[in-house]
C-alpha cells in the first residue's frame, strides 16, 4: 500500500475539533513541526494532547497552545513553556502530569492492546493516592483533581495500577520512511515517536527522507502502525530548532572578537 500523501494539509484534513492526538518528540527533538503547523492552519480546536512536553513558546505544540486550540494535555514536563504553566494555573487548560517512564509505557501498552499494568513509579505519592490538580478555577481553587489508583503488593513491593493510553490520531517525525509507512528514527527522536504512533488509531508521519526500500533489520516502527506518510522538502527537513543553544567559553570569546 502506498501511504504517501502530497501535502501535510491533506494528511491532517480529518482531524476535527475535540480530537485526541499523541505527538512525538522530546523537547524540540523529533517533533513533527510541519504536521503541527498544518493542523494549526486547519483550525481544529478543543484538542486533547498526549506528549512528553508541550513544545516551547512559538514552536511545535507551543503554536497550538498559543492559539488556544488545546484544552487538555497529558505529559511529563512543562518547565520550558511558561505559557503552558500560565494557562494551567489560571484554569484555561487541564494538565495531567505523568511520570515519564509511566507515560511511555502507557502509550506502548495502548499500542499492544494491554488495558493496564502495574508499576512502582508513583507509589506513596499523589500519583497513586490522588489529589494532583488537573484543572484550576479562575480564583486558583482546584476544580478537577486526579483520582486515587489501585495499589497492590507483588513480591513484597507495592505497585500502582496505570491504564494504557489510546488516541484518535498521532503526529510523528521520522528521519527516513518508505511508502508502506515503515519508519526509522534518529537517536533521541526514537524516545516517544514510535510509542505515540502505536497508541493511535490513525498515525501520520512526516519523514525527512522518503526512500523506496528499507532493510527490515533497520526498521524501528513497522508500517502496520502508520496510516499516512508525508515527505518533507529539504528545507523542512533541515528545520531543527534547538531548545537551549549553548556554546563553550572559547566559542563565545571567538565570536566577541569578530
Amino acid at each position: 500500500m502506498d501511504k504517501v500523501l502530497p501535502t501535510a494539509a491533506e494528511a491532517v484534513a480529518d482531524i476535527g475539533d475535540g480530537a485526541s492526538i499523541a505527538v512525538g518528540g522530546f523537547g524540540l527533538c523529533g517533533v513533527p513541526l510541519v504536521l503541527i503547523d498544518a493542523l494549526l492552519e486547519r483550525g481544529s480546536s478543543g484538542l486533547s494532547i498526549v506528549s512528553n512536553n508541550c513544545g516551547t513558546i512559538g514552536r511545535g505544540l507551543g503554536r497550538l497552545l498559543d492559539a488556544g486550540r488545546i484544552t487538555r494535555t497529558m505529559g511529563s514536563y512543562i518547565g520550558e513553556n511558561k505559557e503552558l504553566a500560565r494557562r494551567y494555573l489560571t484554569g484555561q487548560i487541564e494538565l495531567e502530569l505523568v511520570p515519564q517512564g509511566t507515560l511511555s509505557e502507557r502509550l506502548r501498552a495502548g499500542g499492544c492492546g494491554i488495558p493496564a499494568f502495574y508499576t512502582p513509579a508513583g507509589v506513596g505519592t499523589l500519583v497513586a493516592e490522588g489529589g494532583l490538580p488537573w484543572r484550576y478555577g479562575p480564583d486558583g481553587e482546584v476544580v478537577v483533581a486526579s483520582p486515587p489508583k489501585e495499589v497492590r503488593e507483588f513480591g513484597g513491593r507495592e505497585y500502582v495500577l496505570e491504564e494504557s493510553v489510546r488516541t484518535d490520531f498521532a503526529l510523528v517525525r521520522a528521519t527516513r520512511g518508505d511508502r508502506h509507512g515503515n519508519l526509522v528514527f534518529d537517536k533521541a527522536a526514537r524516545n516517544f515517536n514510535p510509542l505515540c504512533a502505536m497508541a493511535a488509531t490513525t498515525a501520520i508521519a512526516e519523514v525527512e527522507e522518503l526512500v523506496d526500500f528499507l532493510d527490515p533489520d533497520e526498521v524501528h516502527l513497522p508500517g502496520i502502525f502508520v496510516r499516512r506518510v508525508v515527505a518533507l522538502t529539504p528545507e523542512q527537513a533541515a528545520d531543527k530548532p534547538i531548545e537551549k543553544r549553548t556554546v563553550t567559553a572559547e566559542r563565545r570569546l571567538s565570536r566577541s572578537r569578530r
Side-chain angles (χ1 to χ4, degrees):
M1 294 178 59
D2 191 338
K3 301 178 181 179
V4 178
L5 293 179
T7 67
E10 292 175 72
V12 303
D14 60 344
I15 302 181
D17 295 347
S20 60
I21 312 171
V23 181
F26 190 102
L28 289 178
C29 174
V31 174
L33 300 174
V34 175
L35 290 171
I36 291 172
D37 286 350
L39 185 58
L40 177 66
E41 290 297 321
R42 190 196 181 285
S44 301
S45 62
L47 302 174
S48 179
I49 300 295
V50 181
S51 187
N52 178 64
N53 58 296
C54 207
T56 60
I57 295 177
R59 294 311 302 260
L61 285 171
R63 299 199 66 200
L64 289 171
L65 181 72
D66 295 344
R69 306 288 178 78
I70 301 174
T71 58
R72 190 181 197 279
T73 184
M74 176 191 295
S76 296
Y77 181 60
I78 63 173
E80 294 303 321
N81 196 325
K82 293 182 180 179
E83 178 61 14
L84 174 60
R86 185 190 71 80
R87 288 176 179 267
Y88 168 56
L89 293 174
T90 56
Q92 299 177 57
I93 191 170
E94 187 170 301
L95 170 65
E96 181 179 352
L97 283 172
V98 182
Q100 196 167 80
T102 300
L103 177 62
S104 64
E105 182 63 7
R106 288 179 71 177
L107 289 163
R108 190 198 70 84
C112 294
I114 300 170
F117 58 91
Y118 287 96
T119 174
V123 170
T125 73
L126 294 180
V127 171
E129 297 167 2
L132 276 174
W134 280 1
R135 182 182 288 274
Y136 287 98
D139 297 323
E141 73 279 16
V142 177
V143 295
V144 180
S146 65
K149 299 175 181 177
E150 177 186 336
V151 175
R152 288 184 61 184
E153 183 176 307
F154 297 92
R157 187 177 184 183
E158 290 188 325
Y159 295 79
V160 58
L161 182 68
E162 293 281 2
E163 295 185 7
S164 62
V165 170
R166 292 286 301 170
T167 60
D168 301 321
F169 295 91
L171 306 180
V172 302
R173 179 167 179 148
T175 185
R176 283 184 295 144
D178 64 18
R179 292 184 175 275
H180 305 292
N182 299 301
L183 303 178
V184 176
F185 303 92
D186 186 29
K187 301 179 177 67
R190 190 177 174 184
N191 286 346
F192 277 97
N193 273 300
L195 305 174
C196 287
M198 291 172 63
T201 300
T202 301
I204 309 168
E206 61 180 56
V207 299
E208 296 172 14
E209 181 185 3
L210 182 65
V211 298
D212 293 327
F213 173 78
L214 284 172
D215 186 323
D217 287 338
E218 65 177 333
V219 170
H220 295 150
L221 182 70
I224 189 69
F225 291 108
V226 179
R227 292 286 187 90
R228 303 166 194 165
V229 175
V230 177
L232 301 183
T233 66
E235 293 75 20
Q236 290 170 331
D239 182 22
K240 298 180 180 180
I242 298 174
E243 194 168 351
K244 286 188 177 182
R245 186 182 295 274
T246 58
V247 295
T248 63
E250 291 80 4
R251 178 63 175 169
R252 288 195 296 269
L253 179 61
S254 174
R255 289 170 62 91
S256 68
R257 289 174 176 173
R258 292 178 183 176

